[in-house]
Amino acid sequence: MGDVLWTPPADVLQRSRIGNYLRWLREHRGLDFADYDALWRWSVEDLAAFWRSVWDHFEVVAHTPPTATLTDPAMPGTRWFPGATLNYAENVLRMPGRADDDPVVIAHGQTRAPVTLTAAQLREQVRRVAAGLRRLGVVAGDRVAAYAPNIPETYVLLLATSSLGAIFSSCAPEFGTRSVTDRWQQIEPKVLVAVDGYRYGDKPVDRRGEVAAIRAALPSLEHTVGIAYLDPAGAPSDGALAWDELAAATDEPLTFTPVPFDHPLYVLYSSGTTGLPKPIVHGHGGILLEHLKMLALHHDLGPADRFFWFTTTGWMMWNFLVSAPAVGATIVLFDGNPGHPDLGALWRLAEETQTTYFGTSAPFLLACRKAGLVPREIADLSALRGVGSTGAPLPAEGFTWVYETVGERLQLQSLSGGTDVCTGFVGGVPLLPVYAGEITCRALGARVEARSADGTPVIGELGELVITAPMPSMPVGFWNDPDGRRYREAYFEVYPGVWRHGDWITINERGGCVITGRSDATLNRGGVRLGTAEFYSVVEGLDEVVDSVVVHLEDDEGGAGELLLFVVLAEGLELDDALRRKICRELRTALSPRHVPDEIHQVRAVPRTLSAKKLEVPVKKILTGTPVDSAAAKGALVNPESLTAFAAFAQRRASDHDTPTPA
């Protein structure tokens, strides 16, 4: 059991939004819960009562009320809030608890000076851009695509698009042409809004060539709108409108098209590392309810908060972040290199913007730890009361580092979920203590279980992460999958009627969770399943190792197979036998003899997706003979050249098993 690093204050029920919700349940529903566990059990056993309470408690603005909360709880195919019509943008722009002149969007970056929008300015910009889209012929059901970074214009475009009942999709401008067209050729957008480029650190990145290639590859486009971001004096490319023209003055009122609960809001994509990215369609109502629940009851965000999450527009955390005005919180946007001019940049941004909740990724926190950074010594973080971590499991030493160097009174919430549900289904909650290395709880309304190999639920041992009851933010479907076949194959093929997520999880007696990596990247040695997360925690904890990837090549005869570890070393270091012995010793001591690799090799880089996830499965495929182009879609990688080293290694290994090192 990990050490207790934080305990809820004695008056947590008086001060937190979940405390307020519990009082509301007592008063309006006659329900009383002794503790979080009792509340969670009710939320997953009486789905209709729980989700209707979220709708009522947060006073969702609807144009017609629902005739029921859900019909047929069987998955897939559950229908939520039939008969209801509403609009996501209307509920976000309500901004409860905020006055017209309150700042609700604070945007910083490396391309231009900071921008702040008040509640009134945000509504006004959405009104104008919605009118501009209407002039371009955009109607409910049309797709509007944004090749744009985490800046106010992208957010305004999302809200304006959804106000019309049209469907939004974004790709971050660091995505290459092929990556973007693989996504958008599937959904056939009518309008493209694109930046001319951006700055990453002090480096200008011109994207006009990519924009031209994307336009050429999308015959469905009727209009292109250019945002002069890198070069504010630049003119739009041929035939494109300028953003200022789209957002021109107009006296058209801001209206919201009422749409059914499951009407498409936006399309998100799986990482697309193998094959075409899956176009995951999320609905207005499901996203709204899930984000109200998560942002208010779990993250405890409200009108006094400034909420930051380091993300690009190509990761679902952006969609999660920008729902926060729906609970009254101000959002802090950042576009640029988080390591420029050094790893202290985002912590200084937190001071400057008076951020109260700082969200980031586990790799960022571990990089800060490795660099010896003490954030509270370089920035005044007194406003900070919450830190969020996602994107990869955060090991115990990452938790300890946050409490030792960022602040001992804040609540650290490690969470895990996915693009598929656009939320975290395991995370933190103000009512429960924080244990080192442990995700605090299963989220309300998320019936998460661990399943053993034979499909039975297990407690206290490693199992396949499944969700056994529907959630409103499960996708309304995949784009262009009329019979739902691809959707069923993605989540429901292994356990009929049960969502299989693809992670290994251990759930302990008190409901705490530890995720140990993707189940398709599991190391299985002699029948014992080993997660990759704990492996990386030990290896990358060594000063000499910057990054690593481990793969297990199975033995067809049922033997232990081969465990291969690849390491990226600190500048100027070469892998020698002494360092190999040190790595093996650390793994044996910290984990077990089964974790000791058969071979360790040095590489220049570990292949990662654009959202920084390691690609264990494509590496494994390449090492077992799959050609690079079939093993991974290079456009989805931040460093596609990294794969060729593994291909060369596989080739040499096939011809001479004793060859020591890839390029």
Side-chain angles (χ1 to χ4, degrees):
M1 181 173 25
D3 298 333
V4 176
L5 299 174
W6 178 87
T7 46
D11 60 350
V12 64
L13 288 170
Q14 287 71 53
R15 288 190 356 201
S16 63
R17 295 201 70 169
I18 195 167
N20 186 40
Y21 170 66
L22 285 165
R23 281 192 299 281
W24 184 91
L25 285 175
R26 197 174 304 130
E27 202 176 310
H28 294 269
R29 298 290 196 267
L31 294 167
D32 221 333
F33 297 102
D35 54 18
Y36 180 78
D37 186 60
L39 176 65
W40 177 78
R41 286 187 188 285
W42 167 73
S43 78
V44 296
E45 284 164 5
D46 195 343
L47 294 175
F50 170 67
W51 286 107
R52 185 62 201 230
S53 80
V54 172
W55 175 287
D56 291 344
H57 177 69
F58 290 105
E59 299 176 345
V60 166
V61 178
H63 292 251
T64 49
T67 54
T69 300
L70 79 164
T71 57
D72 187 7
M75 297 187 285
T78 309
R79 279 207 62 213
W80 292 95
F81 294 90
T85 60
L86 75 173
N87 190 288
Y88 168 83
E90 182 172 15
N91 281 277
V92 172
L93 287 171
R94 191 172 45 149
M95 298 178 272
R98 306 313 296 269
D100 278 358
D101 56 357
D102 284 348
V104 292
V105 179
I106 299 171
H108 284 245
Q110 292 159 345
T111 306
R112 66 179 175 203
V115 175
T116 297
L117 297 180
T118 63
Q121 287 168 332
L122 177 61
R123 288 190 191 102
E124 172 64 8
Q125 289 206 13
V126 172
R127 181 182 76 81
R128 289 180 175 208
V129 171
L133 290 172
R134 221 180 268 114
R135 284 195 300 276
L136 298 183
V138 173
V139 296
D142 285 341
R143 277 77 66 207
V144 175
Y147 188 58
N150 184 9
I151 56 176
E153 289 91 334
T154 319
Y155 184 38
V156 167
L157 185 70
L158 160 64
L159 294 173
T161 300
S162 56
S163 76
L164 302 175
I167 303 163
F168 177 84
S169 184
S170 60
C171 283
E174 65 266 23
F175 280 34
T177 307
R178 174 71 189 278
S179 249
V180 175
T181 55
D182 276 354
R183 286 161 169 76
W184 287 345
Q185 280 170 348
Q186 298 184 69
I187 63 163
E188 302 177 297
K190 181 187 264 191
V191 176
L192 168 65
V193 178
V195 290
D196 54 349
Y198 56 91
R199 279 185 179 276
Y200 192 73
D202 53 10
K203 183 179 158 214
V205 182
D206 189 323
R207 293 315 249 178
R208 288 173 301 182
E210 282 75 7
V211 173
I214 291 164
R215 288 177 73 180
L218 296 174
S220 61
L221 282 182
E222 294 179 16
H223 303 281
T224 301
V225 178
I227 301 173
Y229 182 53
L230 181 60
D231 176 13
S237 54
D238 291 347
L241 276 174
W243 174 261
D244 290 347
E245 294 174 88
L246 182 73
T250 170
D251 52 12
E252 270 188 58
L254 177 58
T255 57
F256 300 96
T257 302
V259 295
F261 189 87
D262 57 1
H263 182 82
L265 168 64
Y266 39 59
V267 182
L268 302 183
Y269 302 88
S270 63
S271 55
T273 49
T274 52
L276 281 180
K278 297 191 297 276
I280 300 167
V281 183
H282 284 294
H284 276 245
I287 287 297
L288 175 67
L289 280 196
E290 174 58 37
H291 289 180
L292 288 170
K293 174 209 81 181
M294 205 68 197
L295 293 165
L297 304 183
H298 285 273
H299 294 309
D300 199 31
L301 295 169
D305 286 293
R306 295 191 168 187
F307 181 44
F308 167 76
W309 209 290
F310 176 69
T311 179
T312 72
T313 55
W315 189 23
M316 52 74 45
M317 287 311 298
W318 182 79
N319 304 75
F320 185 77
L321 165 71
V322 300
S323 283
V327 299
T330 294
I331 54 173
V332 178
L333 311 180
F334 174 79
D335 170 44
N337 178 353
H340 178 83
D342 56 59
L343 281 168
L346 295 183
W347 302 106
R348 291 189 291 269
L349 173 72
E351 173 183 355
E352 193 177 341
T353 56
Q354 289 297 286
T355 290
T356 61
Y357 194 108
F358 180 98
T360 183
S361 66
F364 175 79
L365 294 174
L366 294 172
C368 290
R369 174 181 177 264
K370 191 146 202 172
L373 195 69
V374 181
R376 66 178 178 205
E377 288 180 1
I378 60 162
D380 175 359
L381 301 175
S382 51
L384 206 57
R385 58 181 191 80
V387 169
S389 170
T390 192
L394 185 68
E397 57 270 25
F399 278 71
T400 307
W401 177 84
V402 168
Y403 280 97
E404 286 176 351
T405 66
V406 182
E408 54 209 27
R409 297 175 63 182
L410 52 80
Q411 186 183 13
L412 172 59
Q413 296 186 325
S414 175
L415 59 148
S416 184
T419 304
D420 324 75
V421 285
C422 199
T423 189
F425 37 66
V426 292
V429 71
L431 305 179
L432 293 176
V434 173
Y435 290 85
E438 195 176 292
I439 296 171
T440 304
C441 63
R442 292 170 280 186
L444 294 174
R447 193 165 186 159
V448 174
E449 293 178 6
R451 289 241 163 146
S452 65
D454 65 3
T456 52
V458 291
I459 292 287
E461 58 185 85
L462 192 65
E464 184 83 61
L465 191 162
V466 296
I467 305 175
T468 59
M471 294 170 64
S473 73
M474 283 174 174
V476 295
F478 290 171
W479 194 264
N480 219 357
D481 180 28
D483 61 358
R485 184 180 56 82
R486 288 177 67 205
Y487 180 53
R488 284 192 304 277
E489 279 173 4
Y491 309 113
F492 298 102
E493 207 166 48
V494 177
Y495 306 110
V498 170
W499 174 294
R500 173 185 171 270
H501 196 67
D503 282 332
W504 289 126
I505 188 169
T506 305
I507 302 169
N508 63 28
E509 292 287 349
R510 60 166 181 269
C513 308
V514 176
I515 288 182
T516 40
R518 296 292 297 168
S519 53
D520 56 6
T522 304
L523 318 172
N524 190 340
R525 305 206 84 188
V528 177
R529 296 186 304 213
L530 312 172
T532 51
E534 53 191 0
F535 203 98
Y536 297 136
S537 167
V538 173
V539 174
E540 290 162 29
L542 297 169
D543 291 341
E544 297 91 338
V545 181
V546 175
D547 204 358
S548 64
V549 63
V550 63
V551 290
H552 180 243
L553 305 183
E554 284 89 0
D555 175 5
D556 296 336
E557 327 248 290
E562 284 184 288
L563 195 60
L564 305 183
L565 172 64
F566 299 91
V567 291
V568 180
L569 298 182
E571 215 168 318
L573 291 186
E574 289 294 324
L575 182 64
D576 57 16
D577 287 342
L579 183 52
R580 280 191 180 92
R581 282 194 298 273
K582 181 177 178 180
I583 292 170
C584 292
R585 190 170 61 245
E586 289 289 327
L587 285 165
R588 184 181 287 107
T589 309
L591 300 174
S592 79
R594 289 180 187 273
H595 289 79
V596 174
D598 298 294
E599 298 176 19
I600 306 176
H601 301 285
Q602 185 172 356
V603 286
R604 291 208 186 97
V606 167
R608 288 182 179 270
T609 66
L610 292 161
S611 58
K613 290 188 168 57
K614 295 189 201 211
L615 292 182
E616 293 131 328
V617 175
V619 166
K620 183 173 176 174
K621 286 182 175 172
I622 290 167
L623 294 180
T624 50
T626 306
V628 169
D629 289 341
S630 310
K634 287 185 174 176
L637 271 64
V638 77
N639 51 358
E641 70 291 341
S642 60
L643 291 175
T644 51
F646 289 96
F649 173 66
Q651 232 169 354
R652 287 203 300 274
R653 200 162 183 269
S655 58
D656 175 9
H657 198 78
D658 300 323
T659 305
T661 311

